[in-house]
Amino acid sequence: VVTLLTDYGPGSEHVGALHLTIASLLPGADRIDLAHDLPPGEVRYAAVVLARLAAVLPGAVHLAVVDPGVGTPRRGAAVALRGGGALVGPDNGLLGPAARALGAVGAVALAVPPEAPSTFHGRDVFAPAAARIADGADPAALGEPYDPAEIVVPDLPEPAVAPGRIRAMALGTDRFGNLELLAAAGDLAAAGLADGERLTVRAAGGVHDALLGRTFADVAVGDLLVHLDSHGLLAVAVNGGSAAAVLAVAPGAPVTVERRA
Amino acid sequence: VVTLLTDYGPGSEHVGALHLTIASLLPGADRIDLAHDLPPGEVRYAAVVLARLAAVLPGAVHLAVVDPGVGTPRRGAAVALRGGGALVGPDNGLLGPAARALGAVGAVALAVPPEAPSTFHGRDVFAPAAARIADGADPAALGEPYDPAEIVVPDLPEPAVAPGRIRAMALGTDRFGNLELLAAAGDLAAAGLADGERLTVRAAGGVHDALLGRTFADVAVGDLLVHLDSHGLLAVAVNGGSAAAVLAVAPGAPVTVERRA
Amino acid sequence: VVTLLTDYGPGSEHVGALHLTIASLLPGADRIDLAHDLPPGEVRYAAVVLARLAAVLPGAVHLAVVDPGVGTPRRGAAVALRGGGALVGPDNGLLGPAARALGAVGAVALAVPPEAPSTFHGRDVFAPAAARIADGADPAALGEPYDPAEIVVPDLPEPAVAPGRIRAMALGTDRFGNLELLAAAGDLAAAGLADGERLTVRAAGGVHDALLGRTFADVAVGDLLVHLDSHGLLAVAVNGGSAAAVLAVAPGAPVTVERRA
């Protein structure tokens, strides 16, 4: 099994090229598309998505490419995982959370073929490495080993928590406009916030009333819901609408959720 | 074989999570993406699309999730089909047309794991059920049986047909801007409209001339064509353009097609 | 192996219908999506993309549908390739470059079932033919043979090259806004342009400074890079931005790259 996660865009020829490369080296491999609509170049969000999806199949080879620095000296890596699988992609922060969550037991800096163009390491470096590892190759045979402790971890700031108040980084949004924040159940508990509380949400797009609830129907259509999403992260949603549009925050920007007086 | 139809958006991590869940429970399953670009929460259009696509492989397990009421008491269902296949998804109207067309011989209300979040039954309820049924499990073992006659059928209004005139609901549109209406060949016959007739199309976006024809090239570039589309439904197209843009109708809105004087 | 390349849109039910048709005729086939986000009806760009992707798996059956003239008398074709594979799709220019690059050893005009609608030959003509050929059928059994020399070749104009200057057709763009031009390394050499030169780029969107380089990081964020892309074609990129947006050129329009005085 080889999984694929990129910011190439769904249905793009770049995704097709990864599939073809893997299929040509490893006919019959089960190739699973994890996500291709990730925001271009947003390494942090992609790193969080990779970590949670890879955890479902820890024994697979996970090919991930969000690589705004392709062609610069950043390492391309293959990371061997405790569970038998591997991560393959640029070592620019993308692999860090998954490597920590799944346990990195080895890392190699992948060699770049001298004739490869400087702009498509997904096709020319990472997909071939993923196919070879899925075919049983030892990652150590594909490049220079390095200490897995050196794998780059992205800057994912802890939320600032005070009584009745959480200030967290906006991570990203999905097609439904759900805005995911870098905070979790423990932060809600630490802030003393409980289900059913009336909240205020502050972001670039202004100040909005919200409810701390469990599902979209807990609020009226058009109203804001703050909830723990299906990945255990704090998220803002609008029932039948888009929190991303209402709050108008870019990935990386701060959002404050606090008890309404 | 497991097929997947959702409104999650192409290339989204939610689609990836369904694939991973199925692959983890049933390695080597052939997973076929039917559609993921369906308009968010538009149950009726998705129900029509599911029914026509599922008919191509009636023995497969069809996982379908367009679920604006996730987390409310609406049933999650597995429906056993006469041809040996099954439908799995929210029983909110989405499954009704396919269940009728393919013959429902049993239905169960799927149990929701108590620890599951309230917002992603696709991953936590429906994908596991689909994988287990594709693996040979009896749907009856996955929840409480109920009468298949209770499967919710969406409100798909019959067109109003008069001599020379059809008023029908706008169902949805594709990437090319073809606008599909809830009317068929029998309605054209009942209205006495025949190939080559000059028509008027009335919709929110105004009144437009059109031709009743068979293919896009029957009209000049930029002109409107009314035709029976590849699914046997009445549709409006613009040669080299977008009927959806010209007519500016939302799904569910009425469109009138009538003989031009 | 059957590959699929269309302009149907990623995640659309039209793509799903192709997969279902192939899976129903040839269960267990490895179906590889090459690209589905190609600009609607842009045959020339799709033809170039098909040729370079098909070359990775020359023994596969490549199903390609960008077919603005569906329902007109243009031929539908199955083309047998020297390497054992085949091309299947409308003979409207889409297949020409791949047929030339991979070597066409036979061609048949596919029969259209009399009951087939005039608007979805992808599902009703091309996908069934692709599945049958992948299943071992002789293409010659699927229609009337014709001379492969008659396969339509699209109008892909050679660039105009002068000392220090290349004028080339804009081919298309990807999600990152990279704009690909119909010129290659030989044209750069013929123009006497070398890595590191300062350039002027002229297009509909105005006149812009650029650098001839190798990778995005060769220029500052927001600046223009002219480079040979990963397919060996001349391309314009903006580091961290979109050259397609900056240059505002439609596919087919001219772009001039010349040495800055």
PDB file of all heavy atoms in Angstrom, chain B residues 32 114 169 224:
ATOM      1  N   ILE B  32     -14.151   2.426  -5.820  1.00  0.00           N
ATOM      2  CA  ILE B  32     -14.422   3.242  -7.007  1.00  0.00           C
ATOM      3  C   ILE B  32     -15.075   4.550  -6.589  1.00  0.00           C
ATOM      4  O   ILE B  32     -16.147   4.551  -5.974  1.00  0.00           O
ATOM      5  CB  ILE B  32     -15.365   2.497  -7.982  1.00  0.00           C
ATOM      6  CG1 ILE B  32     -14.778   1.127  -8.360  1.00  0.00           C
ATOM      7  CG2 ILE B  32     -15.616   3.331  -9.232  1.00  0.00           C
ATOM      8  CD1 ILE B  32     -15.666   0.322  -9.295  1.00  0.00           C
ATOM      9  N   PRO B 114     -20.558   4.620  20.723  1.00  0.00           N
ATOM     10  CA  PRO B 114     -20.806   5.696  21.688  1.00  0.00           C
ATOM     11  C   PRO B 114     -19.692   6.734  21.704  1.00  0.00           C
ATOM     12  O   PRO B 114     -19.934   7.919  21.945  1.00  0.00           O
ATOM     13  CB  PRO B 114     -20.895   4.976  23.040  1.00  0.00           C
ATOM     14  CG  PRO B 114     -20.634   3.531  22.789  1.00  0.00           C
ATOM     15  CD  PRO B 114     -20.523   3.279  21.322  1.00  0.00           C
ATOM     16  N   MET B 169     -38.310  20.996 -12.153  1.00  0.00           N
ATOM     17  CA  MET B 169     -37.352  21.413 -11.135  1.00  0.00           C
ATOM     18  C   MET B 169     -35.921  21.314 -11.666  1.00  0.00           C
ATOM     19  O   MET B 169     -35.551  20.325 -12.286  1.00  0.00           O
ATOM     20  CB  MET B 169     -37.495  20.509  -9.899  1.00  0.00           C
ATOM     21  CG  MET B 169     -36.708  20.988  -8.691  1.00  0.00           C
ATOM     22  SD  MET B 169     -36.724  19.760  -7.323  1.00  0.00           S
ATOM     23  CE  MET B 169     -35.133  18.953  -7.648  1.00  0.00           C
ATOM     24  N   LEU B 224     -28.494  28.326 -26.839  1.00  0.00           N
ATOM     25  CA  LEU B 224     -29.021  27.332 -25.911  1.00  0.00           C
ATOM     26  C   LEU B 224     -29.594  26.122 -26.645  1.00  0.00           C
ATOM     27  O   LEU B 224     -30.334  26.263 -27.621  1.00  0.00           O
ATOM     28  CB  LEU B 224     -30.131  27.924 -25.034  1.00  0.00           C
ATOM     29  CG  LEU B 224     -29.696  28.660 -23.762  1.00  0.00           C
ATOM     30  CD1 LEU B 224     -29.142  30.019 -24.093  1.00  0.00           C
ATOM     31  CD2 LEU B 224     -30.848  28.765 -22.773  1.00  0.00           C
TER      32      LEU B 224
END
